[in-house]
Amino acid sequence: MSLCLSLYLTPIIRKGALKFNILDNPDGRLKTQKQPIPYLGGIAVYITYIIGIGIVFDYNHEVLGLLLASSIVVMLGLVDDLKVLTPGVKLFGQTLAALVLIRADIYIKLTFLPQWAVIILTYGWLMLMMNAFNLIDVMDGCASGIAAIAGLAFFTVAMSNNNIMIATLTIALVGSILGFWYYNLNPANIYLGDAGSMFLGLNLGALAMIGQYTTNHLYAALAPIVILALPIFEVIFLIIIRTLHHQPIMQGSPDHVAIRLQKHGFTVMQSMIILYSAAFILAGMGLLLIHSTQEYVWYIILGTLLILILLGLLIGNEKFLKNRSKKL
């Protein structure tokens, strides 16, 4: 239902964005599309998600908290897409959404930590997810495709635990994402915008926290980090690269992984295949971490770190990339 509604509604939202001139204009640096592309794709994802679960789902306080927090970040992102929002107000809105989730008992369930530490950890996780998906939304199909892959992994976890609530929420979210993703593939007809990227980050971050992972061993609590390792890697990579180049961390630069892949020889489609493949591998390793025995845990964790470190060294090696670009 969410998929069909998203396929139907996304072109309508696109017409509205064109009518009101809510467009992402090329700047030749970070925004390299040939013509202005409408924002507001995230509105289509949000609306179809709400409708999908609203028709078939009985609400409890966790679901209501998730929907309220989602509404906050969507409205916040919509205002930000209109270019009238200050960074301080944006941070306040994201904090408010995180606090709503915590009030709804959606937080990281680590019983060996004191309550204050759990709240701080939950807040940091949600802020990381919202901003990580905002950062990876730099190329056609990038954020939406990676979000759908992660969502399918969390759906698999929920089904294996017979957790119908999380399974229903997650598959509805995946359906809404895939309907938009169809129009977001290269060449994209519409973009997520800040409203959509923050919405995806918040919901995947929240659904990751309320899943059940530690049936076999406590190390399985790391599974959400492995499943969402690609957007987390993007944040860490940008911080390191901008620090090494003596650039302000919060200032935009063409150092995103997807942009670097395209800039140095890969087409948009090839870049997406690389990133989707990495997302599928990491999602698989996250699921393997949950269902493996404890003796194999560190092999999985070290394997994940090795993949990310090699990717970082490869993408961050300016000499290698320049040589590859010349050959192509």
Side-chain angles (χ1 to χ4, degrees):
M1 185 185 301
S2 295
L3 172 63
C4 293
L5 287 172
S6 185
L7 287 169
Y8 172 75
L9 189 60
T10 300
I12 298 175
I13 297 293
R14 180 180 183 275
K15 290 180 182 178
L18 287 170
K19 181 177 180 180
F20 291 100
N21 200 35
I22 306 175
L23 305 173
D24 185 33
N25 296 296
D27 59 10
R29 184 169 174 262
L30 292 176
K31 304 174 182 181
T32 57
Q33 68 270 24
K34 296 181 180 180
Q35 58 186 6
I37 304 295
Y39 278 131
L40 303 187
I43 302 299
V45 177
Y46 166 73
I47 292 175
T48 54
Y49 174 64
I50 295 294
I51 294 174
I53 64 175
I55 292 176
V56 302
F57 210 82
D58 294 328
Y59 295 132
N60 59 20
H61 71 285
E62 288 182 327
V63 176
L64 289 174
L66 184 58
L67 295 183
L68 177 57
S70 297
S71 299
I72 291 172
V73 296
V74 167
M75 289 186 289
L76 183 73
L78 178 59
V79 177
D80 196 32
D81 286 333
L82 298 176
K83 310 302 180 186
V84 296
L85 200 64
T86 63
V89 175
K90 184 176 180 180
L91 177 62
F92 174 78
Q94 291 177 333
T95 299
L96 181 61
L99 291 177
V100 166
L101 289 179
I102 294 171
R103 290 267 299 173
D105 294 328
I106 299 176
Y107 54 84
I108 296 173
K109 305 295 195 302
L110 295 176
T111 56
F112 58 86
L113 291 176
Q115 190 67 19
W116 62 267
V118 167
I119 292 174
I120 292 174
L121 194 60
T122 298
Y123 173 74
W125 170 254
L126 290 172
M127 296 297 290
L128 173 63
M129 285 297 99
M130 283 187 278
N131 289 286
F133 275 93
N134 201 325
L135 286 174
I136 65 172
D137 188 26
V138 293
M139 187 176 287
D140 299 351
C142 187
S144 54
I146 292 171
I149 293 167
L152 287 172
F154 290 128
F155 171 73
T156 304
V157 174
M159 289 299 293
S160 66
N161 292 325
N162 198 30
N163 192 324
I164 303 303
M165 183 188 78
I166 299 177
T168 305
L169 291 171
T170 308
I171 202 63
L173 180 63
V174 170
S176 297
I177 294 170
L178 289 177
F180 163 81
W181 176 75
Y182 175 79
Y183 300 101
N184 188 229
L185 281 174
N186 182 256
N189 292 317
I190 189 170
Y191 288 161
L192 273 172
D194 284 351
S197 59
M198 287 195 295
F199 169 77
L200 294 183
L202 177 84
N203 277 270
L204 288 172
L207 291 168
M209 290 191 299
I210 57 179
Q212 299 174 6
Y213 306 98
T214 57
T215 304
N216 293 330
H217 50 79
L218 289 178
Y219 295 108
L222 297 172
I225 297 176
V226 176
I227 293 171
L228 293 167
L230 204 54
I232 294 172
F233 169 79
E234 178 87 18
V235 174
I236 297 172
F237 178 79
L238 286 175
I239 290 174
I240 293 173
I241 290 296
R242 290 174 183 176
T243 300
L244 292 175
H245 290 174
H246 305 290
Q247 297 174 330
I249 292 175
M250 300 305 294
Q251 179 180 321
S253 66
D255 291 312
H256 298 266
V257 173
I259 293 178
R260 278 175 166 253
L261 287 171
Q262 184 183 17
K263 183 179 178 181
H264 298 289
F266 293 100
T267 65
V268 173
M269 187 58 66
Q270 288 171 339
S271 299
M272 287 304 96
I273 290 173
I274 292 171
L275 293 176
Y276 290 167
S277 299
F280 269 116
I281 292 171
L282 291 167
M285 294 184 78
L287 296 175
L288 185 61
L289 179 62
I290 297 170
H291 298 289
S292 68
T293 57
Q294 189 169 332
E295 59 189 73
Y296 293 105
V297 165
W298 291 110
Y299 293 107
I300 298 170
I301 294 174
L302 290 174
T304 301
L305 290 174
L306 182 61
I307 291 171
L308 296 176
I309 290 171
L310 289 175
L311 179 61
L313 291 174
L314 188 64
I315 299 300
N317 190 325
E318 301 284 352
K319 183 177 180 180
F320 170 83
L321 291 172
K322 287 179 181 178
N323 289 338
R324 172 177 165 76
S325 181
K326 290 178 182 179
K327 290 179 182 179
L328 291 173

